[in-house]
Amino acid sequence: MRASIIGLFTAGVLFTVSDAISTYTPSIHGYVYLILICSLAKIFLPLPDFLVEGADLWYRLVAAALIPAVLAAVSIVAIDFREVLSLLGDPVYMISTVAVVIVALLAAGFVGWLVKLNFIESSISAGLGLADFGSSGDLAVLGAADRLELLPFLSISSRIGGGLVVLSLSLLGPLVF
C-alpha cells in the first residue's frame, strides 16, 4: 500500500512540476519537460529503492489492467479503417512500408548485436518500436512478440524520441509558420 501511494504521489509531483515549467515556455509542451526531468533524475540522481518500487508498482498495474483497454480504444477509435483498406490496395505503399520496417528491424538488431545486446530483442524494441503506432503500438508489438518485459525500454526510447520531435517542432514551428 505504501509503495502505491509513493508511486502515485511521485508521478503527480513530476507531472505538476513539468506542467509548471511549461507555463514559462508555452512553445514547448509539458511532456517534453516531464520526459527530460524523469530521464535526468534516473541518470544522475541516486533514487531510493522505495521510489523505484512505487514506480514499478504503478507500471505493473497499468500494464495488467489498462493495456487491453488502450489497445481496443486505439484500434476502434483512432484508426480510420477505410484509409487502411485503401492503402492496402497501393502496392508501392505496401512495399515501401514493409521495406522500412525490415530495414529498421535489421539495423536495430545489428547495432544491438554490436554492443553485445540480444539481436532479436534489439530488433523488437528498437526496430519495431520505431515503426509502430506510438505507445499503443509498443504494447501491440511487445504483446505479439511475448516480450512485455521490454516495455520500459521501448517506452523510454519512444518518449525520448517523441520528446525530441516535439521539442524540435516546437522550436522550428514558429519559424516556418
Side-chain angles (χ1 to χ4, degrees):
M1 181 70 173
R2 178 177 175 238
S4 64
I5 294 170
I6 290 171
L8 178 63
F9 182 75
T10 304
V13 167
L14 290 171
F15 182 78
T16 303
V17 168
S18 64
D19 193 50
I21 293 171
S22 73
T23 59
Y24 296 109
T25 54
S27 63
I28 300 174
H29 198 281
Y31 288 145
V32 172
Y33 291 112
L34 181 62
I35 293 164
L36 186 63
I37 290 169
C38 291
S39 300
L40 292 175
K42 185 67 176 164
I43 293 169
F44 294 112
L45 296 177
L47 297 175
D49 288 339
F50 66 89
L51 282 179
V52 176
E53 289 172 14
D56 183 56
L57 178 71
W58 278 101
Y59 158 72
R60 284 186 280 125
L61 172 70
V62 168
L66 301 178
I67 286 175
V70 168
L71 291 175
V74 169
S75 298
I76 293 169
V77 176
I79 298 173
D80 182 4
F81 289 104
R82 278 183 244 134
E83 186 176 337
V84 171
L85 292 175
S86 70
L87 291 173
L88 288 175
D90 183 5
V92 173
Y93 180 81
M94 291 306 299
I95 289 170
S96 61
T97 300
V98 170
V100 165
V101 171
I102 289 173
V103 167
L105 187 115
L106 293 174
F110 181 69
V111 170
W113 176 75
L114 285 177
V115 295
K116 308 287 190 247
L117 296 174
N118 184 298
F119 183 88
I120 300 297
E121 291 182 351
S122 296
S123 297
I124 291 168
S125 60
L128 293 179
L130 166 83
D132 66 19
F133 190 67
S135 296
S136 59
D138 295 347
L139 296 172
V141 164
L142 294 175
D146 196 27
R147 297 271 208 263
L148 277 174
E149 68 273 5
L150 296 175
L151 186 60
F153 304 106
L154 191 59
S155 293
I156 194 65
S157 65
S158 294
R159 300 304 179 275
I160 292 171
L164 291 173
V165 168
V166 170
L167 177 64
S168 61
L169 291 177
S170 298
L171 296 174
L172 295 175
L175 299 174
V176 176
F177 298 109

